[in-house]
Amino acid sequence: MERVPVCAIFPVMNRRQFLAASAACALAPAPGRAAALRLRAGPASVRLVPFVDGPTAMLGFNGATPGPEIRVRAGGRVSVGFENATGQPSAIHWHGIHIDNAMDGVPGLTQDAVAPGAGFAYDFAAPHPGTYWYHAHHRSWEQVAKGLYGPLIVEERDPPRVDRDITVVLDDWRLTEDGALHPSFGDRHDFSHAGRLGNYARAFFSAATVRRGDRVRLRLINAATARTFKVRIGGGEGGIVALDGMPLGQPEPVGEPVLAPPRRARRGRLGEPVLAPAQRADIVLDVAGPLVFDLLPRGQPYALGTIAAEGSNPAPAGGPVAALPPTPVPAPDPARARRLVLAMQGGAMGGRHGGDDFWAFNDRSGVGEAPWQRFARGETVRIAMRNDTAFPHGIHIHGHHFHELGPDGAPGPYRDTTLVEARQSRDVLCVFDNPGKWLIHCHTLAHQASGMKTWVEVA
Ligand code: C2O
Ligand code: CU
């Protein structure tokens, strides 16, 4: 397999740093030479909150959160020398990649946890283009909440033409008044309710500015451990072209050309992407002004950040936003699909179940020795993901994507994480074609930690 260099850029705090990082990218070794990226997990001091003095003590990769953006061409390899300086065991999971099982980064299932002071060599092919991310997968409810994650972008071999390609990482944190991470990690109330929701949220952008008339690709990643982000994007309009890295057949309209003042007519308002923890959305839009990102909770919109508009593009792209070229994926065989039910159980107000922790799947909490199911490689499985609890859950299957099915059974988006609202059910259709041991869990990481996980074996 061809080896393509991995090019890392740092999350951008200002224009100067962005330009420096872009220059560094251009100097990456030529294809054919392996480029091992070093990712050192450890303490990071981050200017997280603009309105408090001084940085927040967090965890990061190479001293930053989000960690370096890893970029690789589809079909290329990612080689990472992981060093664990967190003082706790850890491991890195490459979320959404149809990865070689041994590189999936799940302690106890695919590897041993990496001891403090030790390292691990990750080396894997990234077959499908799209927006992915990496994150800690040991005590993830704490390590991810402290900042151990970063973007992993797999570029198309022939990328659609845009003027800027901008990564937008969304997260929230529970902070004390002086901007420190609140020490309530592992709080039992969080575990049995909605997880560790933050009291401060923001977006990290990989670019500080755009031009009016630019056609930009925005890669939204929800890195939060518990919060679902419904995002309003003002200052441009276009379409969602991919979810969880995989192209949609038709772009879904999104954005609004001019941000409507509150209470004014909603003319021009289009769709607002909803991202459960771990979900991603790729958006292509035409810039009309500053790009303003707001979180839409129940009450007032909450400002996540703005990408400033400077100058104009002399030759705007124009025309409708086109669909991305489809990613070749295995065709499911719905008629012969094995049918299974994965019942989500437990939590506060959830009633009894047979597991021994707050949460369970099918009356079992945690992974246990034996898999929930064994599949023959290539088998199509239809799983009814039934939420019998009082909370929403975003369920992630490792190493695969699956079709969300509509109520009529028609295949919808091809995703790696599906959001199932309280007391709702969603069927998914998955071709288990990747051999190995694969975790299935809720990406509200406090739920995962207190029982809502299982695993399957594909052989
Ligand atoms: Cu994003 Cu098991 O993880
Ligand atoms: Cu959950």
Side-chain angles (χ1 to χ4, degrees):
M1 174 120 5
E2 181 192 4
R3 296 178 79 90
V4 177
V6 171
C7 176
I9 64 169
F10 284 87
V12 166
M13 304 306 171
N14 63 43
R15 188 178 167 77
R16 183 185 53 77
Q17 286 169 327
F18 177 78
L19 294 174
S22 314
C25 276
L27 298 175
R33 295 229 322 259
L37 170 71
R38 175 176 156 273
L39 277 185
R40 183 181 173 86
S45 175
V46 182
R47 279 292 313 169
L48 185 64
V49 198
F51 46 81
V52 298
D53 291 334
T56 300
M58 304 180 69
L59 289 177
F61 286 106
N62 301 355
T65 183
E69 178 167 305
I70 299 173
R71 279 196 174 249
V72 62
R73 198 50 73 87
R77 291 192 83 84
V78 176
S79 273
V80 168
F82 170 53
E83 299 168 14
N84 180 9
T86 62
Q88 286 184 352
S90 193
I92 310 183
H93 170 56
W94 313 91
H95 184 116
I97 302 289
H98 295 203
I99 202 168
D100 171 1
N101 191 242
M103 296 290 133
D104 198 39
V106 180
L109 200 62
T110 67
Q111 68 169 95
D112 291 331
V114 180
F120 191 89
Y122 289 99
D123 182 84
F124 56 91
H128 304 310
T131 300
Y132 301 92
W133 65 303
Y134 59 92
H135 61 79
H137 214 296
H138 178 79
R139 287 172 75 88
S140 57
W141 47 274
E142 175 183 355
Q143 294 186 359
V144 176
K146 287 184 171 175
L148 280 186
Y149 58 76
L152 170 54
I153 308 301
V154 184
E155 296 173 345
E156 290 84 4
R157 292 193 155 269
D158 187 15
R161 291 206 28 202
V162 290
D163 298 300
R164 303 300 290 269
D165 184 330
I166 302 173
T167 304
V168 180
V169 178
L170 307 168
D171 198 356
D172 71 341
W173 303 265
R174 186 178 300 169
L175 302 175
T176 63
E177 256 168 46
D178 45 10
L181 292 176
H182 196 282
S184 53
F185 290 100
D187 179 85
R188 304 308 283 166
H189 184 276
D190 289 339
F191 274 40
S192 60
H193 289 71
R196 184 180 169 92
L197 291 168
N199 51 9
Y200 173 69
R202 62 170 279 196
F204 296 96
F205 303 112
S206 67
T209 63
V210 289
R211 296 172 302 181
R212 286 182 181 75
D214 275 351
R215 176 161 284 188
V216 297
R217 178 175 187 165
L218 303 172
R219 300 173 180 270
L220 274 58
I221 301 171
N222 181 359
T225 61
R227 183 176 298 282
T228 291
F229 281 80
K230 181 175 187 185
V231 185
R232 182 176 70 186
I233 305 170
E237 78 179 294
I240 301 176
V241 294
L243 293 172
D244 296 350
M246 293 292 176
L248 297 179
Q250 272 310 312
E252 278 176 28
V254 75
E256 53 183 11
V258 183
L259 192 62
R263 305 166 136 269
R264 272 271 207 81
R266 296 191 158 201
R267 202 168 63 85
R269 167 84 46 94
L270 298 165
E272 285 139 353
V274 174
L275 292 95
Q279 289 186 326
R280 289 89 64 212
D282 283 45
I283 295 169
V284 174
L285 58 74
D286 294 318
V287 176
L291 293 178
V292 181
F293 293 76
D294 288 312
L295 168 64
L296 299 179
R298 275 180 281 269
Q300 282 287 89
Y302 178 102
L304 293 169
T306 298
I307 304 176
E310 279 178 11
S312 335
N313 184 332
V321 169
L324 295 174
T327 297
V329 297
D333 183 357
R336 297 231 300 262
R338 190 176 344 166
R339 296 181 80 122
L340 299 169
V341 175
L342 189 69
M344 302 159 222
Q345 302 162 316
M349 301 160 289
R352 284 179 200 282
H353 60 78
D356 54 11
D357 209 335
F358 287 135
W359 304 92
F361 280 136
N362 297 353
D363 287 310
R364 189 170 89 171
S365 300
V367 290
E369 284 296 309
W372 169 48
Q373 299 289 335
R374 294 180 205 274
F375 301 127
R377 187 173 181 187
E379 190 173 350
T380 300
V381 181
R382 178 171 174 156
I383 306 175
M385 296 204 175
R386 198 180 77 206
N387 184 346
D388 295 338
T389 81
F391 294 86
H393 305 285
I395 306 298
H396 172 45
I397 301 181
H398 279 222
H400 298 79
H401 280 60
F402 49 80
H403 294 277
E404 289 182 335
L405 299 184
D408 53 353
Y414 189 58
R415 314 202 62 146
D416 61 44
T417 305
T418 186
L419 176 62
V420 188
E421 297 290 347
R423 312 284 175 204
Q424 304 290 306
S425 185
R426 167 169 295 119
D427 284 20
V428 304
L429 199 59
C430 186
V431 179
F432 284 93
D433 64 343
N434 194 357
K437 299 174 172 181
W438 303 108
L439 211 58
I440 300 178
H441 64 87
C442 178
H443 227 287
T444 293
L445 298 175
H447 296 173
Q448 177 198 359
S450 52
M452 198 177 276
K453 62 180 160 200
T454 188
W455 63 288
V456 296
E457 183 155 31
V458 181

